[in-house]
Amino acid sequence: MNHYALFFDIDGTLVSFKTHEIPASAILALTQAKANGHRVYISTGRPVVIITNLGAIEHLIDGFITTNGAYCFVGNDAVCCNPIPKEAVNTIVDDAQKKGYSLIVIGKTDVAVLDSKGDVDRIFRQMLAVKNLDKAQPLNVVLEQDILQLTAFFPVEYEKELMERVPQCISGRWHPEFTDITANGADKGKGILAIAAHDNIDIAHTIAFGDGGNDTSMIRQAGIGIAMGNAIPELKEEADYITTSVDDDGILNALRHFGIV
């Protein structure tokens, strides 16, 4: 039996947008997968400080791809760290302040929140039940750190215009109202490559699960790319297999389909 490394997005993949919890069927599936000798990794756009909803499976996790691949680690080992160039950070922060859109600035150890319109509070705290944003630090403090990601709250129509001004960066949108901006070379697919190199994993024996636009790179990179039933249509087109939704036992059904459990 081949052993696989399983990579899971969090929001909309492992964790339900409806309940803000991991379905019992997914907990059961991951527990059995580990017992069968497979490895479990998280691959998320969230920074470490707001990964607060995995308590039910944290003992099963072998490593993390965070901030869309900008910072990856296994145990205490930093596998990769790809900060955004300072010039691009300044361009985007200045643009947010001038245009008045909300922005989450994610540093190596802290985050700052610019929320002039209340979008961060409405979407992150209320809709996504994100915790720990009350631990945000002043912008000037965070800007002294390496910046791993900038989460900008503007519509897709403005995205192309801004990204043309920061060619050092890429954008990964998984929500219609905001996008995650990281440095070129930082995405979930490259995160899988970094983890695989560190943990001596054959890429052919990797399986990635996702639902949003920022999951595209890992769905393409993994040996098997699986889109959730609730995934955006564009991701389903890239996937090798489409399972049921997160709220309809999607993780369990897929792992059964591929003989992992």
Side-chain angles (χ1 to χ4, degrees), residues 8-244:
F8 298 92
D9 170 55
I10 296 179
D11 299 285
T13 298
L14 266 183
V15 175
S16 167
F17 283 126
K18 297 178 181 178
T19 66
H20 307 302
E21 295 180 353
I22 303 173
S25 62
I27 297 171
L28 173 67
L30 267 62
T31 301
Q32 187 61 58
K34 283 286 287 192
N36 290 345
H38 305 288
R39 288 187 259 190
V40 173
Y41 298 88
I42 298 301
S43 183
T44 180
R46 292 188 181 221
V48 175
V49 69
I50 61 170
I51 300 177
T52 59
N53 51 0
L54 301 180
I57 62 163
E58 60 185 358
H59 60 293
L60 304 174
I61 299 170
D62 292 289
F64 289 82
I65 297 169
T66 72
T67 50
N68 289 300
Y71 180 57
C72 307
F73 61 94
V74 174
N76 293 322
D77 294 340
V79 175
C80 64
C81 183
N82 296 298
I84 301 171
K86 292 294 185 184
E87 177 185 357
V89 171
N90 293 336
T91 296
I92 296 170
V93 171
D94 289 347
D95 190 70
Q97 292 174 324
K98 290 176 181 176
K99 298 263 191 329
Y101 56 80
S102 299
L103 185 71
I104 303 175
V105 181
I106 299 165
K108 184 73 178 294
T109 57
D110 298 296
V111 301
V113 177
L114 308 181
D115 197 20
S116 58
K117 294 183 177 178
D119 290 331
V120 176
D121 183 71
R122 176 174 58 85
I123 298 173
F124 269 54
R125 291 191 178 93
Q126 297 177 33
M127 293 175 58
L128 299 177
V130 171
K131 300 177 181 178
N132 282 359
L133 283 180
D134 58 335
K135 297 180 180 179
Q137 298 297 311
L139 178 63
N140 64 308
V141 171
V142 177
L143 287 178
E144 292 177 358
Q145 305 170 19
D146 284 338
I147 302 304
L148 301 178
Q149 183 168 280
L150 296 161
T151 298
F153 290 71
F154 51 62
V156 66
E157 293 78 18
Y158 183 63
E159 187 174 328
K160 183 175 186 294
E161 178 182 335
L162 177 64
M163 296 310 294
E164 286 177 349
R165 294 165 52 194
V166 285
Q168 316 96 317
C169 299
I170 56 175
S171 174
R173 182 177 290 268
W174 58 275
H175 191 281
E177 295 195 57
F178 65 82
T179 190
D180 291 332
I181 299 170
T182 53
N184 285 334
D187 62 41
K188 292 186 178 185
K190 292 184 176 64
I192 287 181
L193 289 175
I195 293 280
H198 181 275
D199 283 1
N200 194 29
I201 298 166
D202 183 346
I203 289 295
H205 293 161
T206 60
I207 303 177
F209 294 74
D211 70 297
N214 64 335
D215 297 318
T216 303
S217 61
M218 73 168 180
I219 292 297
R220 290 173 175 169
Q221 183 62 69
I224 300 172
I226 298 176
M228 305 302 290
N230 51 282
I232 61 173
E234 295 83 355
L235 191 72
K236 289 180 178 178
E237 291 176 2
E238 299 282 353
D240 299 301
Y241 181 75
I242 301 171
T243 186
T244 50

